[in-house]
């Protein structure tokens, strides 16, 4: 699996599991990682947030 597939899958899973709350949960996680100084984790979750935004803009959550 590519990193793109992993982050897209994570975004889709979060949207299915948390619905409208998914973006808030991702934002909270990004904040936690920033405070911890976990730059690698921060990069991953920012990419998940970007994928989630793309999904929501396209209206393709199933």
């Amino acid at each position: 699996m590519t990193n793109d597939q992993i982050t897209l899958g994570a975004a889709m899973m979060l949207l299915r599991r948390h619905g409208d709350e998914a973006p808030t949960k991702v934002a909270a996680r990004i904040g936690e990682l920033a405070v911890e100084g976990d730059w690698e984790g921060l990069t991953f979750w920012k990419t998940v947030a970007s994928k989630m935004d793309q999904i929501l803009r396209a209206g393709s959550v199933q």
Side-chain angles (χ1 to χ4, degrees), residues 15-48:
L15 285 165
R16 286 186 185 125
R17 182 173 290 171
H18 299 290
D20 292 342
E21 293 296 316
T24 303
K25 292 191 177 286
V26 172
R29 186 66 183 135
I30 289 170
E32 292 167 359
L33 293 167
V35 168
E36 294 169 7
D38 182 349
W39 308 123
E40 187 175 330
L42 187 62
T43 299
F44 174 81
W45 282 96
K46 285 177 125 180
T47 305
V48 171

Side-chain angles (χ1 to χ4, degrees), residues 11-17 19 55-56 58-62:
M12 292 175 70
M13 182 273 304
L14 287 161
L15 285 165
R16 286 186 185 125
R17 182 173 290 171
I55 293 166
L56 291 171
S60 59
V61 177
Q62 298 178 18

Side-chain angles (χ1 to χ4, degrees), residues 1-12 44 47-48 51:
M1 265 187 155
T2 66
N3 284 340
D4 190 58
Q5 291 170 321
I6 292 168
T7 54
L8 178 60
M12 292 175 70
F44 174 81
T47 305
V48 171
K51 295 292 182 188

